[in-house]
Amino acid sequence: MKSKSFILRASAMVAAGATMALMGCAGPGHSIDPDAQKRAASTQSSPPAPEDFPAVESAKWKEGAFPSLEALRAMRTGMGKDQVRQLLSWPHFSEGLGGVRTWNYIFHFRTGSGPEYITCQYMVRFNDDVLTSGMYWNKRECAQRMDPPAAKPTPVAATTSPQRKVTLGADGLFRFDGGSPADLLPQGRGKLEALVSEIKRDGRSLDSVVVTGHTDRLGTGSYNQALSMARASTVRDVLVQNGIDASLIRVMGKGEAEPRVQCEQKKREDLIACLAPNRRVEIEVFEGR
């Protein structure tokens, strides 16, 4: 007959094993390879169909959460699961133990000063490198919540005027589908530095600079909104690094909302080429007379 202490030890071992199995991916993740990040950005997963989102009543944490908009806007392709958890916490559905490639969330957004809110579902997909390859909302109105609040028009004094508006093609600034400082091409940085030099040569007082990012229509609305904002923010950072006062710069991301051209090519490479004018960063410089 086995002793009581032996049985207790065996039970503890089983419990520990079960805990480790349930933790699954909860342990610290491995470092992220830059090449794997590029693969994740260049091979975005296909958008889910409405029926791909799980029923809310099947969630493990049915209450959902009121997320931080800044955390959601910080989501990008090429992120590891630890990084997603840091921003969004754990998914609200039981996704399984191993080899999980999809996380689903229930997020609420206030609609006014009272307790009323709308409920949205958010899906994060991971590729074979276990890096984010796409982020999706179940409703367009939910994706629109990621749009930054409309900026109040900046009064322009009578002594100032928009001295110039420079439009730079995003394909000449960033690698395709990229918007971070690491994605900025050497020739793109050179164009921005040349613009700063030109501004300084004028000898006029600088009143304000407005940097606006735009994307083409490929990808989801929320993804394009985040990408356009990331590109505008990166351009702002380069301007600041080259001597422009950060307090004078305002950044905006308009996603795919203001296209310059409409294209219907069937081949993806032809469509990407045709849509190039829509992928751009506009820089408006206001100077004193």
Side-chain angles (χ1 to χ4, degrees):
M1 180 177 178
K2 294 183 174 64
S3 67
K4 183 177 180 180
S5 61
F6 176 83
I7 294 174
L8 289 174
R9 286 197 301 272
S11 298
M13 291 174 65
V14 171
T19 300
M20 292 298 293
L22 288 172
M23 288 177 66
C25 299
H30 53 73
S31 59
I32 298 176
D33 176 32
D35 289 335
Q37 285 185 308
K38 293 179 181 178
R39 286 195 298 272
S42 62
T43 57
Q44 186 179 10
S45 58
S46 300
E51 59 269 20
D52 292 334
F53 288 89
V56 172
E57 57 269 20
S58 68
K60 184 174 182 180
W61 287 277
K62 294 180 172 59
E63 289 186 3
F66 291 88
S68 160
L69 289 178
E70 291 306 313
L72 285 166
R73 288 171 183 152
M75 290 291 294
R76 299 284 190 281
T77 56
M79 296 174 60
K81 288 186 174 181
D82 290 343
Q83 295 171 329
V84 176
R85 275 194 293 264
Q86 185 180 29
L87 289 174
L88 307 181
S89 190
W90 292 89
H92 298 140
F93 294 77
S94 296
E95 311 289 358
L97 295 179
V100 177
R101 294 293 180 267
T102 304
W103 282 4
N104 283 282
Y105 293 85
I106 302 171
F107 288 143
H108 310 297
F109 297 98
R110 298 289 184 194
T111 56
S113 57
E116 297 81 11
Y117 58 82
I118 65 169
T119 296
C120 303
Q121 287 182 252
Y122 185 68
M123 179 187 293
V124 180
R125 283 181 169 172
F126 300 89
N127 65 7
D128 291 340
D129 294 312
V130 198
L131 299 179
T132 52
S133 59
M135 291 74 69
Y136 309 96
W137 292 97
N138 67 326
K139 303 174 186 175
R140 185 170 183 82
E141 63 180 305
C142 300
Q144 291 172 341
R145 292 273 166 173
M146 298 303 100
D147 296 344
K152 296 181 180 179
T154 302
V156 179
T159 56
T160 65
S161 64
Q163 182 67 21
R164 62 174 67 85
K165 181 177 181 178
V166 180
T167 300
L168 300 175
D171 293 352
L173 293 177
F174 299 93
R175 67 172 182 80
F176 181 72
D177 205 32
S180 71
D183 298 318
L184 187 63
L185 299 172
Q187 61 267 34
R189 181 177 292 274
K191 292 178 182 178
L192 295 173
E193 291 173 349
L195 175 61
V196 173
S197 298
E198 185 179 343
I199 294 172
K200 291 180 176 179
R201 276 198 308 269
D202 288 347
R204 300 183 181 185
S205 60
L206 186 63
D207 289 298
S208 64
V209 178
V210 179
V211 182
T212 307
H214 300 266
T215 69
D216 59 28
R217 61 178 172 80
L218 301 178
T220 64
S222 59
Y223 178 83
N224 288 335
Q225 175 60 43
L227 178 59
S228 66
M229 192 67 183
R231 286 174 171 170
S233 298
T234 297
V235 169
R236 174 203 55 203
D237 292 345
V238 174
L239 298 181
V240 172
Q241 291 165 9
N242 285 273
I244 302 298
D245 187 345
S247 66
L248 301 179
I249 305 176
R250 181 160 58 94
V251 297
M252 294 189 295
K254 294 192 175 181
E256 61 193 75
E258 296 184 1
R260 286 188 164 185
V261 297
Q262 299 291 341
C263 302
E264 301 298 335
Q265 280 76 3
K266 300 301 181 183
K267 290 185 178 180
R268 181 175 173 80
E269 57 269 24
D270 294 339
L271 180 60
I272 290 174
C274 178
L275 291 171
N278 297 341
R279 300 187 296 271
R280 66 194 190 278
V281 177
E282 296 173 343
I283 305 171
E284 289 183 272
V285 180
F286 294 81
E287 296 176 326
R289 292 186 183 276

